[in-house]
Amino acid sequence: MQKVTYTNAYGESLIFGQGFPFLFSSVSGLSRPDAEIVSVRGAWQAGVQMQRIQMTERNVQVQFDILPHENREALYKRRMEAERILAGSRAMKDGKIGLLTYENDAGKWQTDAVPDGAIAYGTRFQNALPGCKVRFFCPNPYLLSAQEQTSRMHMGQDGLTLPAALPLRLGARKFSATLVNTGTANTPVRIVIYGTGESPRLVNHTTGAEIVVERAIANGERLIVDTDHRNLSCWLEKANGEKEDAFGYLSASAAMSAFMLVPGSNQVEYIPSRASLGSRVEIFWHSLYEGV
């Protein structure tokens, strides 16, 4: 089973699947895109000195058939439906673009995308249009796992039922966790720290990267940190719902964008300046893939 879904910036979706009306035929451009190798050559140097491997944008092409309709009028109405959903004027809204989702028997992945050029329709056969093609431009070279993963680290409290045997255990800490990036590339995270009047640290012991909060987060407030370089941000959400820029809460000695999950297991620890029953942090991420 294979299926490709394009959802434009206005939430309208076009599904290329196994049934009526848009029958999926094939897709290309989902394997690892070509990488740009950046290198320098010194005077009299044999070979070159590697600097970095830079991933380029992704181009995806979907081939599909518009299946037979009851009459030619219905066929052309269906064609206009595809034109409307894939229109360039509906590909962007408020700086956001559409989303391309691919799924097969092994999983489901997605990436930002916009239609690139016109739909190439095949030759009409009676009330069907076989052999159609549409291309998508994907600025992000990576495919993201469609399902968002979550980890929560917190100070918990066990219940107490009397009579009870000694010793009593009234509290439980869970300030470290193993976060698994199932992809093939380093993955940014979104961090939500719930305020209890503390100024905590978050450390990835696998990479050595950390997020250091230098100002106390008041009770009822949340500090939201996004380490994705495309959306690098730090916001303080107050108890009344207001938001304000909060980059000043973080130590400049620790680069936000360096806090990522490498492929495989990552040992992450939350270190509160003082533990309380309300100490809590939540981490969200989508695993990144160079190709599927």
Side-chain angles (χ1 to χ4, degrees):
M1 183 278 293
Q2 293 187 87
K3 183 167 72 172
V4 175
T5 303
Y6 170 69
T7 304
N8 65 26
Y10 289 80
E12 301 164 324
S13 294
L14 195 64
I15 300 173
F16 307 98
Q18 300 303 309
F20 186 83
F22 303 105
L23 178 66
F24 173 88
S25 178
S26 66
V27 63
S28 61
L30 294 174
S31 59
R32 185 174 63 85
D34 292 336
E36 180 181 343
I37 298 176
V38 181
S39 61
V40 295
R41 186 192 302 274
W44 312 106
Q45 178 181 345
V48 296
Q49 184 69 34
M50 284 284 299
Q51 297 292 312
R52 65 184 181 276
I53 298 177
Q54 193 165 308
M55 302 294 291
T56 60
E57 66 279 2
R58 181 181 296 273
N59 292 280
V60 176
Q61 179 174 277
V62 179
Q63 291 187 257
F64 65 100
D65 302 325
I66 302 180
L67 293 178
H69 285 60
E70 60 271 21
N71 54 51
R72 197 169 300 176
E73 179 185 0
L75 171 66
Y76 286 127
K77 283 184 177 180
R78 187 72 67 182
R79 172 173 159 164
M80 288 305 300
E81 176 189 346
E83 288 285 354
R84 177 176 57 81
I85 295 174
L86 293 168
S89 61
R90 305 190 72 75
M92 295 187 68
K93 180 182 180 183
D94 300 329
K96 302 293 184 180
I97 66 174
L99 186 71
L100 192 69
T101 303
Y102 169 71
E103 53 187 300
N104 60 25
D105 295 319
K108 187 176 181 181
W109 303 267
Q110 61 189 32
T111 188
D112 295 338
V114 295
D116 184 10
I119 303 173
Y121 294 103
T123 302
R124 181 181 59 80
F125 178 74
Q126 295 182 349
N127 297 327
L129 276 173
C132 305
K133 299 178 184 178
V134 62
R135 297 183 64 209
F136 295 95
F137 173 79
C138 308
N140 186 356
Y142 300 108
L143 297 168
L144 288 72
S145 60
Q147 183 176 1
E148 185 177 60
Q149 296 166 273
T150 307
S151 178
R152 294 177 174 85
M153 287 168 272
H154 57 87
M155 169 73 86
Q157 186 172 14
D158 291 345
L160 175 62
T161 302
L162 295 175
L166 295 176
L168 298 178
R169 184 169 180 254
L170 299 179
R173 297 188 184 201
K174 187 184 178 185
F175 286 160
S176 62
T178 300
L179 278 55
V180 179
N181 172 8
T182 59
T184 60
N186 291 349
T187 296
V189 297
R190 180 166 52 89
I191 303 164
V192 180
I193 302 174
Y194 291 81
T196 59
E198 60 191 61
S199 50
R201 292 168 55 217
L202 192 65
V203 182
N204 185 339
H205 291 293
T206 302
T207 65
E210 62 180 9
I211 297 290
V212 180
V213 180
E214 293 187 324
R215 293 173 56 182
I217 309 170
N219 281 293
E221 296 182 342
R222 301 193 309 166
L223 188 70
I224 304 169
V225 179
D226 193 333
T227 70
D228 189 340
H229 71 277
R230 298 175 306 151
N231 189 41
L232 202 64
S233 59
C234 181
W235 296 94
L236 183 70
E237 187 176 283
K238 298 184 178 181
N240 60 6
E242 293 182 0
K243 292 184 179 180
E244 66 177 37
D245 183 282
F247 277 103
Y249 275 69
L250 303 182
S251 170
S253 63
M256 284 173 54
S257 58
F259 197 95
M260 306 182 83
L261 305 180
V262 296
S265 298
N266 294 255
Q267 301 301 320
V268 177
E269 182 181 9
Y270 177 64
I271 307 172
S273 56
R274 57 178 183 82
S276 70
L277 287 178
S279 295
R280 177 160 61 116
V281 63
E282 296 177 346
I283 304 175
F284 305 87
W285 72 96
H286 291 268
S287 295
L288 295 188
Y289 297 79
E290 290 187 0
V292 296

